[in-house]
């Protein structure tokens, strides 16, 4: 049921999901690009070439600023996703409960039901957020590291 909820939400909000995926390029820049240019800056400091030092320092500042901007945009996307996900999940769960009890004329335990329905979207979003923070971040890091190591001379 939960996988179906996530998939249906992703299908209805595919633009936000794709935008989120694209904004995760900041992970690659942060984990691969910045250390690469830090190494270049340190080696140019040892050689004493001021022009290269200045160029690498400017590149680092621009990359760091880009990472911060992309992270800010990504968090903005998440702030748009959460209310949509909560509303979507509540509607689906309430409809599921009403449909399953449509022909059953017993009294529903309204208090318990409302408590569970109000907390369920937050729990599901928390699971999705942790998956994003752990799984997606690691996948981007591993893939970008793989390409970096096999493309760098």
């Amino acid at each position: 049921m939960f996988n179906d909820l996530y998939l249906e939400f992703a299908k209805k909000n595919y633009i936000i999901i794709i935008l989120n995926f694209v904004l995760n390029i900041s992970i690659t820049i942060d984990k691969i690009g910045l250390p690469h240019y830090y190494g270049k800056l340190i080696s140019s400091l040892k050689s004493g070439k001021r022009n290269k030092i200045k160029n690498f320092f400017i590149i680092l500042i621009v990359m760091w600023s880009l990472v911060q901007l992309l992270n800010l945009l990504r968090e903005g996307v998440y702030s748009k996703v959460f209310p949509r996900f909560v509303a979507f999940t509540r509607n689906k769960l309430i409809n599921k409960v009403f449909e399953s009890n449509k022909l059953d004329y017993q009294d529903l335990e309204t208090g318990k039901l409302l408590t569970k329905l109000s907390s369920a979207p937050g729990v599901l979003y928390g699971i999705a957020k942790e998956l994003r923070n752990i799984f997606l971040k690691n996948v981007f890091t591993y893939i970008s590291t793989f390409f970096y190591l096999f493309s760098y001379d």
Side-chain angles (χ1 to χ4, degrees), residues 10 16 24 26 35 38 44 49 51 56 59 66 74 77 81-82 88 90 92 98 100 105 107 117-118 135 144 147 151:
I16 290 177
N24 278 317
S26 67
Y38 278 132
S44 65
K49 297 178 182 176
N51 196 24
F56 288 133
I59 289 171
L66 181 64
R74 192 174 68 208
V77 168
V81 168
F82 182 68
F88 174 81
R90 277 196 184 130
K92 286 294 179 183
F98 285 146
S100 67
Y105 293 109
D107 287 332
L117 287 176
S118 66
F135 178 73
S144 59
F147 283 115
S151 66

Side-chain angles (χ1 to χ4, degrees), residues 41-54:
L41 178 67
I42 290 171
S43 66
S44 65
L45 283 171
K46 288 180 183 178
S47 70
K49 297 178 182 176
R50 290 189 183 266
N51 196 24
K52 280 190 172 186
I53 294 170
K54 182 178 131 185

Side-chain angles (χ1 to χ4, degrees), residues 82-95:
F82 182 68
R84 288 182 185 184
F85 184 74
V86 169
F88 174 81
T89 308
R90 277 196 184 130
N91 286 339
K92 286 294 179 183
L93 291 175
I94 288 171
N95 288 339

Side-chain angles (χ1 to χ4, degrees), residues 16 19-20 23 72-82:
I16 290 177
L19 183 62
N20 176 32
L23 290 174
L72 182 68
L73 290 173
R74 192 174 68 208
E75 290 303 319
V77 168
Y78 292 143
S79 71
K80 300 290 185 204
V81 168
F82 182 68

